[in-house]
């Protein structure tokens, strides 16, 4: 056995371990998941969890898991402009999540992560009466995603995992006090790549 062969095996072994550590896995069974994997919303921890296909099937019914886990839907629906000013949130890049308990939260991405506000539930209900698609949103797992920054007028119903991806993108690309030259083109590209799906 040559020293070069042993060294090559050690390097390959370390690289294999690093690749396994970086690969995303199902947070329920530890199986590897692909890039388009499903997500569960953990109502107890208020977090999104990665899941493989077989585990996601277990939670297709909202009653599965005693209600602790809710499968995040894949639906995306582009809406005509929605007057979200009535909700009293002073930012142009924000997502609104109706909750199972009747409350509504608004979250806006920032360099430090998501800023969060409580939205007046009565104001949300009035808006949902005007825009029926909002009333049909799945609580906790779907959001109204809005971008009115820099002249855009984007309004979407999306899975909450899209909102978390957008929040991570803003945090990653933000530079200085105003965001710098990278964040807003990246946000525009994010919205440009959204496609409707049922």
């Amino acid at each position: 056995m040559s020293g070069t062969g042993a060294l090559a095996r050690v390097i390959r072994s370390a690289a294999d371990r690093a690749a396994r550590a970086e690969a995303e896995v199902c947070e329920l069974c530890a199986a590897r998941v692909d890039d388009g994997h499903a997500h569960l919303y953990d109502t107890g921890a208020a977090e999104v969890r990665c899941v493989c296909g077989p585990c996601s099937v277990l939670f297709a019914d909202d009653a599965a898991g005693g209600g602790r886990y809710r499968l995040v839907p894949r639906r995306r629906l582009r809406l005509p402009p929605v007057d979200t000013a009535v909700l009293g949130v002073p930012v142009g890049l924000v997502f609104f999540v109706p909750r199972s308990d009747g409350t509504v939260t608004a979250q806006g991405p920032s360099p430090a992560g998501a800023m969060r506000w409580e939205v007046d539930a009565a104001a949300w209900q009035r808006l949902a009466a005007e825009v029926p698609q909002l009333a049909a949103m799945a609580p906790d797992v779907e959001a109204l995603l809005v971008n009115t920054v820099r002249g855009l007028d984007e309004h979407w119903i999306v899975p909450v995992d899209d909102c978390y991806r957008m929040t991570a993108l803003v945090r990653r690309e933000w530079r200085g006090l105003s965001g710098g030259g990278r964040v807003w083109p990246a946000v525009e590209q994010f919205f440009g790549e959204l496609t409707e799906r049922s």
Side-chain angles (χ1 to χ4, degrees):
M1 171 192 303
S2 74
T4 304
L7 179 59
R9 280 194 301 281
V10 168
I11 292 170
R12 269 195 314 275
S13 176
D16 290 346
R17 279 193 309 276
R20 281 193 302 274
E22 289 177 15
E24 286 191 280
V25 296
C26 175
E27 294 185 53
L28 296 180
C29 74
R32 277 192 153 168
V33 294
D34 60 20
D35 286 342
H37 63 271
H39 291 104
L40 291 178
Y41 179 73
D42 180 340
T43 60
E47 294 178 350
V48 173
R49 310 253 183 233
C50 298
V51 290
C52 64
C55 286
S56 72
V57 171
L58 298 173
F59 297 93
D61 179 3
D62 282 342
R68 173 161 181 173
Y69 296 108
R70 302 207 48 221
L71 186 62
V72 176
R74 296 187 41 80
R75 175 176 80 130
R76 284 190 194 133
L77 177 64
R78 187 177 192 139
L79 299 175
V82 176
D83 182 14
T84 56
V86 300
L87 300 175
V89 176
V91 295
L93 183 58
V94 65
F95 58 96
F96 299 90
V97 182
R99 302 291 177 185
S100 299
D101 64 3
T103 62
V104 179
T105 59
Q107 297 180 57
S110 78
M115 300 176 296
R116 185 178 171 141
W117 303 270
E118 293 297 320
V119 173
D120 179 54
W124 175 265
Q125 289 169 355
R126 287 190 298 274
L127 186 61
E130 295 173 17
V131 184
Q133 297 94 327
L134 300 182
M137 288 171 56
D140 300 317
V141 292
E142 285 190 312
L144 170 62
L145 177 60
V146 176
N147 183 10
T148 57
V149 176
R150 298 176 70 162
L152 294 178
D153 207 6
E154 300 270 357
H155 298 81
W156 289 81
I157 292 176
V158 296
V160 292
D161 51 2
D162 279 350
C163 300
Y164 297 139
R165 278 190 315 111
M166 190 257 314
T167 300
L169 176 138
V170 168
R171 188 170 187 186
R172 183 181 68 238
E173 299 297 335
W174 193 279
R175 301 291 183 274
L177 293 175
S178 64
R182 293 173 26 177
V183 69
W184 300 116
V187 167
E188 289 176 20
Q189 180 179 350
F190 174 88
F191 277 88
E193 292 173 355
L194 287 179
T195 55
E196 287 194 287
R197 63 187 187 204
S198 53

